[in-house]
Amino acid sequence: MAEVAVQDSSYNHVTSERIFELAEPKHSKSVWLTSFGPRVMWGTQDMLWPISNGALGGEATPRVMELSSPKKNFQTGVKVNRPQYVYSCGRESVIWDISPLAGRAEASDRITRLANHKQAPREYLEKEDRPHYNFSCGRVSPIWDVSDGAKQCDDRPRTSQLAQAKSPHPQFQGERQVESLISRSTLIARCTERLGHLSRPKNRPNGPFREPQWPVSDSAKVFSATTRSLELAKPKSLPEGYQPNREDPQWKIPRSARRAIASSRINELAGPIIRASMDHVQFDPDAFLVKETALKAACSPRVEELAAPIRR
């Protein structure tokens, strides 16, 4: 950093015209193919084109007043505004006014029974005598008590070798410094005439643009639509057999449905499928035990040769 500071102080007197040229902001290279009309700044109340005094003080013709009138609302009667379409699901909000009688009413035994949540069968409930069910892999927790002998034992040379962090590659090169030093000759250099000519932007025309306003003929103002145009302008009617939405999204449940009792076949089909528990399917008490022979085994020279890292 000290070298950079000394070099910056040595070039304080450089005031080349090239530096001032490069410091100028970049000019817009937009052409008539990519830009339409004057430049507009979003978020302002400025108009695209200035409005003339004649347009501000003019009066609209009957045809313009007719075209500016809103579209007729064909929803009449109880379908005006249709609140059930506010939530776009065919019914109105689930929050409605509750009558005082419903607030003081008591639920029947059948309604109380239906309001209870579904209970899991006894075969799926976790019991105290099933500790392996929590992790479903044959062991309760990966955290276990370490014996005193394991805490006081000395590590082997092989264990120390495996515990060492991986070293970088011998040909690894660290990152370079962020800043780069610019030579004095580059700072005071002047570009050739050819480079200045090639760096100029292309000159393109600013048009053509169509005028934003054009006169409307008198025949177009007094034109009457044909019968075919009026027929095509009619809104699409509802098909035959169309039934509107219910006036009330809630309806009464018959007494027979409240007192209905499911048959034995329905109860049999409603019962969940009982499968064997994970304790019996994936239980292996010796899954995380290392054999005594594996602890005392010595690898062959071929295995040591294959385990050695590749040297590049």
Side-chain angles (χ1 to χ4, degrees):
M1 296 299 294
E3 296 178 358
V4 176
V6 170
Q7 187 169 357
D8 292 343
S9 61
S10 61
Y11 296 145
N12 291 336
H13 65 280
V14 178
T15 57
S16 175
E17 297 180 358
R18 177 60 177 169
I19 296 178
F20 288 102
E21 182 181 356
L22 294 175
E24 294 181 357
K26 188 176 181 181
H27 298 284
S28 176
K29 298 182 177 61
S30 59
V31 296
W32 63 273
L33 293 175
T34 57
S35 61
F36 300 92
R39 184 177 180 182
V40 181
M41 298 297 294
W42 294 103
T44 61
Q45 300 295 331
D46 298 338
M47 303 294 293
L48 295 178
W49 293 274
I51 303 176
S52 61
N53 298 329
L56 293 174
E59 296 182 359
T61 59
R63 178 58 178 172
V64 175
M65 297 296 296
E66 181 182 357
L67 293 176
S68 63
S69 59
K71 189 177 180 180
K72 181 181 178 180
N73 187 5
F74 293 93
Q75 300 177 0
T76 58
V78 296
K79 297 183 179 180
V80 175
N81 296 330
R82 288 194 289 186
Q84 60 267 23
Y85 282 94
V86 175
Y87 296 90
S88 67
C89 59
R91 59 182 297 180
E92 56 188 2
S93 174
V94 296
I95 302 175
W96 53 73
D97 298 335
I98 302 176
S99 61
L101 297 178
R104 295 193 297 267
E106 295 182 359
S108 60
D109 297 338
R110 177 61 177 171
I111 295 178
T112 305
R113 181 180 177 184
L114 293 175
N116 293 332
H117 59 85
K118 186 177 181 181
Q119 300 290 341
R122 291 178 296 177
E123 291 80 0
Y124 282 90
L125 296 176
E126 299 181 7
K127 300 180 180 180
E128 296 181 358
D129 56 348
R130 298 174 60 192
H132 307 295
Y133 179 79
N134 297 333
F135 293 91
S136 68
C137 61
R139 59 187 302 177
V140 180
S141 174
I143 303 176
W144 54 85
D145 297 334
V146 183
S147 60
D148 297 335
K151 296 179 180 179
Q152 298 176 2
C153 68
D154 298 333
D155 54 349
R156 300 176 300 170
R158 178 58 178 172
T159 306
S160 302
Q161 180 183 0
L162 295 176
Q164 293 179 358
K166 186 177 180 181
S167 58
H169 195 270
Q171 299 180 0
F172 172 76
Q173 297 180 0
E175 59 182 6
R176 302 169 61 183
Q177 59 181 1
V178 179
E179 65 277 358
S180 57
L181 303 179
I182 303 175
S183 61
R184 179 181 177 83
S185 59
T186 306
L187 293 174
I188 61 177
R190 295 179 178 274
C191 62
T192 60
E193 183 179 358
R194 178 59 177 169
L195 292 177
H197 179 71
L198 294 176
S199 62
R200 295 176 183 176
K202 295 182 179 180
N203 296 325
R204 295 183 175 90
N206 297 326
F209 293 122
R210 189 185 67 177
E211 293 295 333
Q213 301 176 1
W214 56 90
V216 181
S217 61
D218 298 336
S219 59
K221 296 179 182 179
V222 298
F223 180 77
S224 299
T226 60
T227 307
R228 180 58 179 171
S229 300
L230 296 176
E231 182 181 356
L232 294 175
K234 291 181 179 179
K236 188 177 180 180
S237 59
L238 298 176
E240 289 187 26
Y242 171 77
Q243 296 181 1
N245 298 325
R246 295 186 177 185
E247 299 297 336
D248 192 359
Q250 53 182 341
W251 53 88
K252 296 182 180 180
I253 301 175
R255 189 183 299 271
S256 59
R258 298 179 183 178
R259 298 183 178 181
I261 299 176
S263 61
S264 58
R265 177 57 179 170
I266 295 178
N267 292 331
E268 181 182 356
L269 294 175
I273 301 175
I274 306 301
R275 298 183 178 87
S277 62
M278 303 299 289
D279 297 344
H280 302 86
V281 176
Q282 297 183 355
F283 177 71
D284 186 7
D286 299 334
F288 300 94
L289 296 179
V290 184
K291 299 180 181 179
E292 296 292 339
T293 56
L295 294 174
K296 299 179 181 180
C299 59
S300 60
R302 178 57 178 170
V303 176
E304 291 183 357
E305 180 182 357
L306 295 175
I310 301 175
R311 299 184 178 277
R312 298 181 176 86

